[in-house]
Amino acid sequence: MIKKILVANRGEIAVRIIRSCRELGIISVAVFSEADRKSLHVRYADEAFFIGPSPSIESYLNIDKIIDIAKKSGADAIHPGYGFLSENAEFSERCKKEGIIFIGPSSFSISAMGDKITARQSMINAGVPVVPGTKENIQDDKIAIKLVNEIGLPVMIKASAGGGGKGIRLVKKEEDILSAVRAAKSEASTAFGNDSVYIEKYIESPHHIEFQILADRYGNVIHLCERECSVQRRHQKVVEETPSTLMTPELRYEMGKHAVTAAKAVDYESAGTIEFLVDNDLNYYFLEMNTRLQVEHPITESVIGIDLVKEQIKIADGEKLTYIQENIVQKGHAIECRIYAEDSKNNFMPSPGVVKHITEPLGLGVRCDGYVYEGYEIPIYYDPLISKLIAWGETRQEAIQRMKRALYEYKITGVKTTISFLEKIMDTPDFISGKYNTHFIEKNKQFLINSVDTNERNEDIAIITTYLDYISKLENTQSLSLNNRINYWKEFGRRKGVTRL
Ligand code: MV4
């Protein structure tokens, strides 16, 4: 039985995983780099070990070091979180060899899905719909042109070792095919040390919809319904929600069945995600599988009512799934906003630095998965994600209103954040109506970036008037009624509330 888990990660996801360990009575072991000495995961874990210099290549990606600490600390298992070593087949295999439980899939499953050409072939064999396209690595110019003519323009050239937007090219004109193949190959070679590419038909204005699955080692696989992840900026998700407004019960049933089939086709174990592109006619196509716990997993937890990290741990411990598909039901609606230490008014430039003040939102239906505290310095070395704010509501409308209320309560100073950008997304008509696809941010760019930020201006005025109020009280203590003064300055901030939908 698993008694002690090493969390091979940092930031909000390390804290998230340790929380589930604590509830299960499992001892947690944190690892930390030089830059993370003062990180919350280090404070919150039962034990913490230094693993090396700040750059992740010398710390969170150092397999030998992590295995060494796992042994020294007596951990029975390692949870990799997301990113870093989470989808590293070699790491999964190494854990197994060392007699340490890897809380995730086998190296076989990771490799089978990590190579996108192999994954596409497995899906075709299993009867899962894939985007029309090629089955092999493109190596010959003539064959490339012939295949594009068969598929029909526009097409996408994608790196087989890529995923999540790296090493992809859109081709609209025949004369651009060969240069795009060459560019994709060169980029893939540099980024992944593998220049295999394949070609897919370009799906216009698709939705990105993914299905959460859980699989035990006895071949039981269930799906936990979908997440709509179409609000993305440069292949970075910004807002996710579940259920998807595009979904019908019939489509969910069909896609869910195919998601389960996809997982079974690679003998999958643990939590995983099957990504699909869905076009306007509700045709859907397997895109790729993420063989890890995902950033946006909490919206599924909110609507399905299952702790995904606990399930991962129980599955890794050899337990059978205790849920059956018929008992999985979606209750209400959940939205996640990703809060980054980035300046949304300056091309989303990273904004590392010391957090001067932070007030996190609370209240019914609000969850805030973060790790920063007052005085904490957000390091430059890692992903600038500060936290994930999740709002649940009985209905989509209630979830939106609750998210706006929570964003209103959220206060962070010292670093720039994306909070005001997220507030604007919640006010965008296309988001409110639920009629949006992967082009949402681009389509609404003027509204999102250039609209005057009245919220922030009002807030500045409120802060200044509060201060003036304070100063005037210092000068004249007898003549002022405190209550009247507060009501007076608060009027400046009044427009910032949540408007009725
Ligand atoms: C596509 C596509 C249209 N057709 N493939 C971008 C990231 C990677 N995960 C796959 N991506 C896409 N692949 C075909 N055949 C459109 C995208 C795409 C996209 C997908 C999901 C979310 C946002 C996106 C933004 C631009 C392009």
Side-chain angles (χ1 to χ4, degrees):
M1 221 177 67
I2 296 176
K3 293 198 180 70
K4 198 176 210 181
I5 293 175
L6 182 150
V7 181
N9 215 303
R10 65 174 304 281
E12 68 83 21
I13 196 62
V15 174
R16 160 72 190 88
I17 294 161
I18 300 168
R19 284 184 166 137
S20 285
C21 291
R22 183 142 292 150
E23 288 180 23
L24 289 170
I26 292 172
I27 301 166
S28 54
V29 181
V31 291
F32 61 97
S33 70
E34 194 63 55
D36 273 335
R37 285 190 182 280
K38 296 180 183 171
S39 243
L40 193 64
H41 74 286
V42 178
R43 295 187 183 188
Y44 185 52
D46 295 312
E47 298 174 20
F49 290 82
F50 177 70
I51 41 165
S54 304
S56 27
I57 193 76
E58 295 178 74
S59 48
Y60 299 105
L61 289 171
N62 187 334
I63 293 178
D64 287 332
K65 196 84 201 206
I66 288 165
I67 296 287
D68 179 51
I69 303 291
K71 289 181 169 175
K72 276 205 178 99
S73 64
D76 332 283
I78 297 180
H79 196 306
Y82 55 70
F84 296 127
L85 295 170
S86 61
E87 296 187 277
N88 185 312
E90 182 197 330
F91 185 57
S92 173
E93 191 61 31
R94 178 71 186 279
C95 289
K96 196 175 164 188
K97 281 213 188 83
E98 302 281 357
I100 300 162
I101 297 167
F102 177 74
I103 303 172
S106 66
S107 64
F108 169 79
S109 303
I110 297 175
S111 305
M113 286 300 187
D115 185 273
K116 309 303 168 198
I117 293 175
T118 310
R120 276 171 61 81
Q121 191 57 58
S122 309
M123 294 307 109
I124 293 166
N125 296 345
V128 177
V130 301
V131 185
T134 64
K135 293 180 184 163
E136 276 153 46
N137 178 22
I138 303 301
Q139 281 172 308
D140 182 284
D141 285 358
K142 281 204 191 97
I143 294 176
I145 306 236
K146 178 174 157 279
L147 289 169
V148 172
N149 284 330
E150 281 170 26
I151 298 165
L153 285 165
V155 296
M156 287 198 110
I157 320 280
K158 298 187 176 184
S160 187
K166 271 174 277 168
I168 70 174
R169 285 283 185 289
L170 171 61
V171 181
K172 292 183 174 168
K173 291 183 291 207
E174 184 161 356
E175 61 260 39
D176 296 336
I177 297 168
L178 295 180
S179 61
V181 169
R182 272 190 273 280
K185 275 188 175 291
S186 138
E187 197 177 313
S189 178
T190 311
F192 318 112
N194 172 354
D195 77 350
S196 294
V197 297
Y198 60 105
I199 304 174
E200 275 182 2
K201 171 98 194 129
Y202 179 62
I203 310 297
E204 310 263 357
S205 310
H207 282 245
H208 172 128
I209 296 179
E210 56 187 33
F211 273 70
Q212 177 70 53
I213 63 100
L214 277 177
D216 68 19
R217 71 179 58 159
Y218 311 102
N220 304 303
V221 186
I222 58 168
H223 75 82
L224 274 48
C225 303
E226 80 281 5
R227 293 185 287 260
E228 166 69 72
C229 303
S230 297
V231 180
Q232 301 199 8
R233 190 188 157 271
R234 300 199 181 155
H235 304 302
Q236 276 268 36
K237 291 169 190 162
V238 178
V239 175
E240 303 97 345
E241 64 174 313
T242 185
S244 164
T245 55
L246 195 70
M247 201 55 66
T248 63
E250 295 74 27
L251 184 60
R252 181 174 294 118
Y253 179 79
E254 289 300 321
M255 290 179 74
K257 249 188 359 191
H258 278 129
V260 166
T261 304
K264 284 184 173 169
V266 294
D267 290 325
Y268 199 79
E269 175 187 321
S270 194
T273 299
I274 316 293
E275 292 185 358
F276 293 98
L277 287 181
V278 185
D279 70 19
N280 281 325
D281 301 324
L282 302 188
N283 298 305
Y284 61 92
Y285 310 95
F286 169 87
L287 197 58
E288 50 195 66
M289 180 174 187
N290 299 311
T291 57
R292 59 164 191 277
L293 181 72
Q294 284 191 266
V295 176
E296 61 272 28
H297 76 275
I299 56 171
T300 298
E301 294 183 324
S302 297
V303 162
I304 303 293
I306 292 177
D307 181 326
L308 285 165
V309 175
K310 279 187 189 169
E311 292 307 310
Q312 284 189 297
I313 294 170
K314 290 194 274 182
I315 289 166
D317 219 353
E319 288 186 33
K320 266 189 176 172
L321 275 183
T322 54
Y323 301 98
I324 56 167
Q325 192 64 60
E326 290 66 38
N327 294 343
I328 300 298
V329 285
Q330 296 164 294
K331 185 175 185 296
H333 198 100
I335 303 173
E336 172 180 278
C337 283
R338 297 191 186 190
I339 319 295
Y340 284 96
E342 288 176 349
D343 186 356
S344 46
K345 291 181 187 64
N346 187 14
N347 201 28
F348 294 84
M349 195 115 89
S351 176
V354 177
V355 174
K356 269 208 195 118
H357 172 86
I358 177 163
T359 303
E360 286 178 338
L362 292 166
L364 183 62
V366 174
R367 168 174 173 182
C368 188
D369 273 25
Y371 78 108
V372 316
Y373 54 86
E374 245 158 60
Y376 176 72
E377 183 171 6
I378 297 172
I380 56 165
Y381 298 96
Y382 317 106
D383 189 63
L385 184 73
I386 294 175
S387 72
K388 302 169 327 201
L389 180 56
I390 300 102
W392 180 90
E394 288 283 352
T395 61
R396 184 171 188 270
Q397 181 165 307
E398 186 181 46
I400 293 175
Q401 291 292 77
R402 189 165 277 161
M403 179 59 84
K404 288 167 70 166
R405 185 269 289 175
L407 288 165
Y408 163 76
E409 288 180 11
Y410 214 151
K411 300 282 185 292
I412 300 178
T413 61
V415 297
K416 297 275 202 308
T417 78
T418 52
I419 293 173
S420 67
F421 181 69
L422 292 160
E423 288 189 293
K424 280 182 216 149
I425 290 179
M426 293 300 126
D427 279 333
T428 307
D430 285 347
F431 186 83
I432 294 168
S433 68
K435 290 192 172 67
Y436 63 86
N437 56 42
T438 47
H439 300 312
F440 172 79
I441 299 241
E442 188 59 29
K443 179 169 178 250
N444 291 283
K445 152 164 106 190
Q446 290 307 320
F447 183 87
L448 290 170
I449 305 284
N450 294 334
S451 66
V452 180
D453 201 328
T454 53
N455 281 346
E456 235 158 64
R457 190 192 58 202
N458 284 344
E459 189 145 306
D460 286 348
I461 293 170
I463 289 167
I464 292 163
T465 49
T466 311
Y467 185 66
L468 289 175
D469 179 59
Y470 170 74
I471 298 282
S472 66
K473 269 190 312 218
L474 287 183
E475 285 170 352
N476 186 352
T477 44
Q478 300 107 320
S479 69
L480 292 170
S481 154
L482 185 73
N483 287 340
N484 287 343
R485 297 296 297 185
I486 284 175
N487 287 339
Y488 170 71
W489 67 257
K490 280 202 81 135
E491 279 175 22
F492 289 98
R494 199 171 295 275
R495 290 230 307 275
K496 190 186 148 86
V498 172
T499 47
R500 286 184 84 114
L501 281 184

